Structure formats: C-alpha cells, structure tokens
Amino acid sequence: MNKNRIYPTYFVFGALLLYTVLFVLPSLTGLGYSFTDWSVYSDEIHFIGLENFATVFSSDYNYTRMLANTIRFTLVTTVVKNAVGLALAVLLTKKVKLLNFHRAVMYLPCVLSALIVGMIFKSVLNPKIGLLNTFLRRIGLGFLASNWLTDSKIAFRSVMAVDIWKGMGYIMTILIAGIMSIPQTYYEAASIDGGNAWQCFRHITLPLLVPTLTVTTVLNVIYGLKVFDMVYSLTNGGPGFATEVMYTGVYKEFGLGRYAVGTTLSTVMTLVMLVAGYFMIKHMVKGDGQEI
Amino acid sequence: MKRRKLFAAVGINVLAWVLSLILLAPLLLILFNSFKTRKAAADMSLTLPASLEWSNYALVIEKGKLGTTFLNSMLYSVCSVLLCTLLCTMAAYVLSRNRRKLHNFLYLFVVLGIAIPINYIPLIKVMQTLKLMNTRAGIILLYTATQIPFNVFLIHSFVSKISPEIDEAAVIDGASPLSLFFRIVMPLMKPVLVTVMVLTFLNTWSEFVMPLYFLGSTDKWPMTLAVYNFFGMYFKDWNLVCADIVLTSLPVIIIYLLGQKYIVSGMTAGAVKG
C-alpha cells in the first residue's frame, strides 16, 4: 500500500509550522543577533563580531558567575533529587499503609506553579515568623535559625533545597515505575539464597534501575540548566548576585534593554543543551523502534 | 525475628508519615492561614484557625481581580490543550506510521525541542513581526508551540503500539486518510490523549514566564502572575495572600487528583521500558 497516501505528510504541517516559527527560528536568529549590538537604545543593528561572547566570558562582569551558579544548581539538584527520589521510591514500594496517599502527597508539589511554591517558601523561610525558624527554636535548635533567603552565604542553598522539595516526587514517581517493572522472581530467588534487604537493593534493584536513573538524570540536567522560575520567585538572583543563574540573567538583560547580550547568554545555553539533548534523544527514541 | 519484623514494619510507616508531613506542612500552613483574620495570620503559625474567615476569599477575588485572571488562565489552558492535542496527534501519528527518511528526520527535529531552550529575546522580534505581541492568541500559540516536542514524543511511542493492520482494513473498506484518522485511530488513542490533555493543562496553568516576556498589559495576565503581583502589593496581609494562593492552586490540584493515573503513565512513558 502507498504509505504516503494513507498517512499524508500534510498531517505534520500544523505542528511543524508552529514549532519551527516560534521555537526553532528564534534560536537561529538568536545565534545571528549574538554577533550584533542589538539594544533598545538604537534603531540600527551593527555586526560586532565576538564582542558579546567576550563580554559574557570576561571576568570583569558577573556572567561567568551566573554560569557557575547554573552548573552548581544543576549538579546539586540532580544528585540530591535522584538520591532522595530513589530512597522514596524504595520506601514507597514496600508494604506501607496508605501507600497511594503517600505517593500522591510526594508528587503534589510538582503540579504547583514554581511561582506559588516560591511564595509559600518566602513565608516558610521568613527569618522572624517563618515555619522553619519557629520549628528550630521550639525543638531547641534555635542557633540554626538563619536568614535563609537574604544571607548571601546560604541563599543559593536554600533555593536549591526548595527546588528539591518541589521536584523530588517527580523523580520518585518515575523510579517507582522502574522498580515495579523488575520481575518479582529475582527478589524471591534472592530471599531463598538468604539475601537481606540491603543486598537485594545493591545487587538487584540498583543495577536494574540504571537505565531509568539515566533518564531521570538527563531530565534533571536539562531542567537544571533551564532553571528560571524558582530562582525568580524566591530571590530574583539576589542578594547581590548570590543566586543569579543564566536565565535570570537573560531576563535582567532584557529588562535593561541590552538585547544582544541577553541573546548571547541564551545562545550559549542552547549550544550547551544541544549536546545534552543529543544524548537524551538518542536514549529516548530507541524505545519505539525509531532508527536514528 | 518476629519482633524485628514488627519494628521494621512500624519503622517504615512512621518514616513515610514523617516525609509526607514535611511535604504537607507548608501546604497546610497556607490553607490554615487563608481562613484566619489578618492579625492571626500575621505570625504565619501552623495552627488551626479560630474561626473560618470566608470573607478573605471574597475580598481577594475582588481586590486581586481573580475573576478576569481566572478566565484568562482558563482560556490559555483550554485553547492550548485543544490545539496542542489536535496538532500533535496528527503529526505524531503520521511520523510514527510512515518512517521514510524525511519523516525520521522530522521526528528527531521536533523531539530535539525537548532539550533546547527557548531564546526569549529574539522570539519577541518574531512575535512582533507576526503581530502577536501582547495578544491572547499569541500566548496560546506560544504555549502550544513549546509543548509540541514532548507531546509528539509521547503520542509517537503510543501509536507505534497500535497495530497498523487496523488501518489497512479500513483503507480497503474505502476510508479516506482523514476518516481513518478521526474515526478509527483517534478513538484508539484515548489513553494517551487524556495524558497529553492533563499534562498540557497543568503545564500551561502553572507557567508564567511567557506572559512575563510577551504580555505587557495586566488585564491579560494569567492567575499565577496576578497572584505574584498581589503578593507584592499585599505582602503584609498574609491571610489574603494565602487565600489567593489556594484559589490559584485549586484548579491544578483538582485536575491532578482526577487525572493522577494518566500523569504517571505519561511521565513514565519515555523513562521506563517494560
């Protein structure tokens, strides 16, 4: 049968057009604008070569710090979310009462807007009335009470912690599905051989979860590199530049009218993520018999 | 031995509760304080309200203009869901069934969008050229465009599990490509379509970066951005801020509770291979 007649290519056009014009095109023109002096202050746009890239990677400005923060955010949240998510997934595949309730609660923060979560934690982390400091004082650990979001030494850690609080349920949910797909007979065989819980985890669960953990890691890395919303709503990059990441930087350049520099920051991220994306797509696409 | 097992059983249940409470405490804090008086909510304590101040909700709906922003959010979410589902289903179906070189390339081209970030500032130029800047239609098209890659990926893998023999039988019976797709294949795709609809709704409702860049006028703002603005103006009235947060989150929580099953299946589709 003629596949082109049964499955006409024009079915693809709508999605392809929107995606190309509103998603791919700005990335391509952005690459071009990165070599110009495009700004709100002038109607003309001039080619200035690699000057923007030199600015972005120069130690005279704070852009390298944004990049470093973004990478730190990505590494820390990826590792901690995977570790905590794995622990939660193992716990919530055991014989726990009200299992579905607990699973639902863990995932709940994922559906809330990061903007909302940010506002909630502005209250929780408030130094005077916040739930966290109140709790610490009440259990006699008052010396640990801090200015979580305004002390430049710990603000970035607080932002990462809130992001982990919001996102760990997502990783947990994927890993639970991974654990459930492991055949029960493996565990039965291990228990006949006298294996304890730790040995079962170490020699059955963990090795068989490696493919799933790879996916959660890649998803987390992509998410981490793109982070904007959580930082914007909690600290907006402050105090000083302590919590500034690449995309809060882009937004600030946009606000200042320095379009070309903002675009250059985006272009740097696009290039970084094309590399990460290639590996992810390769892994994800394998699943449905797609040749690449 | 028996005693040890009992300890372990109690232990994991206690642990599960402790963890659940860590997640629930901040959310309950907001819920409780949304019903308190301004004075009682001033110290944001995790205690039950002495009386239920429903008037907070009435006040916040009026002051925060929640009526308009709720309708905006609904409009953006529902339209994006419908447009995205239709376009992605048609595209993913053909790309999954017809795997010539061109189609394989197009599939990878689209799916790569899961990883690459949006370049917001040049996108403004594109939006201006298309006269879509600061328009409701523009924001709907943006939400649709940005969610195409993941949804096409999701539907593509589902379609590959539906046997193509059904299509062939229908074509022999004289079905046109359009009637084959809408009458026969689409009903078979119901589970994945529900997943796509639920996820697209939740994502669109919670998103606020697009309006930040592309919607200048506040009367077009979605609920999330409006609540943030409200927070800036009434940050001393925690009871009102909490009520606003509850109202903004309620729609996604309801959709989440109804569609939980579909969210999980959608999220795990790419990650876990049975």
Side-chain angles (χ1 to χ4, degrees), chain A residues 198-264:
Chain A
W198 168 250
Q199 285 166 329
C200 282
F201 172 76
R202 176 70 191 76
H203 296 287
I204 301 173
T205 313
L206 199 55
L208 290 171
L209 271 185
V210 167
T212 316
L213 282 167
T214 313
V215 175
T216 55
T217 302
V218 177
L219 288 175
N220 257 315
V221 168
I222 289 172
Y223 168 83
L225 293 173
K226 283 185 189 174
V227 67
F228 169 80
D229 43 12
M230 191 58 92
V231 181
Y232 176 79
S233 73
L234 275 173
T235 60
N236 198 12
F241 284 87
T243 61
E244 203 81 72
V245 289
M246 287 299 261
Y247 280 97
T248 55
V250 172
Y251 186 64
K252 283 196 179 148
E253 293 301 321
F254 166 68
L256 293 169
R258 296 195 295 228
Y259 298 151
V261 180
T263 305
T264 309

Side-chain angles (χ1 to χ4, degrees), chain A residues 249-283:
Chain A
V250 172
Y251 186 64
K252 283 196 179 148
E253 293 301 321
F254 166 68
L256 293 169
R258 296 195 295 228
Y259 298 151
V261 180
T263 305
T264 309
L265 291 174
S266 281
T267 300
V268 169
M269 293 312 284
T270 306
L271 295 176
V272 169
M273 288 168 82
L274 271 176
V275 179
Y278 173 74
F279 288 106
M280 184 194 68
I281 304 306
K282 223 173 91 167
H283 185 91

Side-chain angles (χ1 to χ4, degrees), chain B residues 135-153:
Chain B
T135 63
R136 292 196 167 89
I139 216 81
I140 292 167
L141 290 176
L142 276 181
Y143 279 133
T144 307
T146 48
Q147 297 185 76
I148 283 171
F150 185 72
N151 285 335
V152 164
F153 165 73

Side-chain angles (χ1 to χ4, degrees), chain A residues 3-5 7 19 33 97 102 104 106-107 111 113 115 123 165 226 229 247 254 266 273 277 288-290, chain B residues 13 20 23 44 97-100 104 109 113-115 117 119 124-125 156 167 177 206 208 224 256 267:
Chain A
K3 281 201 170 178
N4 284 341
R5 259 186 50 206
Y7 311 116
Y19 169 72
Y33 285 125
K97 293 219 165 69
H102 288 300
M106 302 285 174
Y107 188 76
V111 302
S113 172
L115 205 61
S123 152
W165 178 89
K226 283 185 189 174
D229 43 12
Y247 280 97
F254 166 68
S266 281
M273 288 168 82
D288 54 293
Q290 181 81 36
Chain B
N13 276 292
S20 282
L23 279 125
M44 281 302 277
R97 284 288 197 252
N98 195 350
R99 297 201 177 177
R100 283 156 200 275
N104 278 343
F109 174 68
I114 298 174
N119 208 335
I124 292 174
K125 272 251 153 150
H156 188 275
D167 311 3
S206 297
F208 67 93
T224 38
Y256 164 59
M267 266 178 26

Side-chain angles (χ1 to χ4, degrees), chain A residues 126-256:
Chain A
N126 184 300
K128 281 207 204 86
I129 58 164
L131 190 62
L132 183 58
N133 279 356
T134 313
F135 177 75
L136 287 172
R137 283 188 201 110
R138 195 158 301 169
I139 60 168
L141 294 172
F143 61 94
L144 287 176
S146 313
N147 297 324
W148 301 105
L149 293 171
T150 46
D151 181 339
S152 61
K153 282 194 210 74
I154 50 176
F156 200 50
R157 279 182 225 168
S158 305
V159 172
M160 292 191 282
V162 175
D163 193 71
I164 291 162
W165 178 89
K166 183 181 190 297
M168 61 191 184
Y170 180 83
I171 304 302
M172 177 203 77
T173 307
I174 296 179
L175 291 178
I176 284 178
I179 292 176
M180 307 256 272
S181 72
I182 298 172
Q184 205 54 41
T185 47
Y186 291 4
Y187 293 105
E188 283 159 15
S191 84
I192 290 167
D193 293 341
N196 63 30
W198 168 250
Q199 285 166 329
C200 282
F201 172 76
R202 176 70 191 76
H203 296 287
I204 301 173
T205 313
L206 199 55
L208 290 171
L209 271 185
V210 167
T212 316
L213 282 167
T214 313
V215 175
T216 55
T217 302
V218 177
L219 288 175
N220 257 315
V221 168
I222 289 172
Y223 168 83
L225 293 173
K226 283 185 189 174
V227 67
F228 169 80
D229 43 12
M230 191 58 92
V231 181
Y232 176 79
S233 73
L234 275 173
T235 60
N236 198 12
F241 284 87
T243 61
E244 203 81 72
V245 289
M246 287 299 261
Y247 280 97
T248 55
V250 172
Y251 186 64
K252 283 196 179 148
E253 293 301 321
F254 166 68
L256 293 169

Side-chain angles (χ1 to χ4, degrees), chain B residues 98-157:
Chain B
N98 195 350
R99 297 201 177 177
R100 283 156 200 275
K101 267 222 166 91
L102 170 74
H103 296 84
N104 278 343
F105 169 77
L106 288 179
Y107 178 59
L108 287 173
F109 174 68
V110 171
V111 174
L112 199 60
I114 298 174
I116 56 169
I118 303 157
N119 208 335
Y120 292 99
I121 303 175
L123 182 52
I124 292 174
K125 272 251 153 150
V126 176
M127 296 288 280
Q128 280 168 345
T129 312
L130 297 172
K131 305 252 182 300
L132 289 173
M133 202 60 190
N134 203 13
T135 63
R136 292 196 167 89
I139 216 81
I140 292 167
L141 290 176
L142 276 181
Y143 279 133
T144 307
T146 48
Q147 297 185 76
I148 283 171
F150 185 72
N151 285 335
V152 164
F153 165 73
L154 215 60
I155 302 168
H156 188 275
S157 62

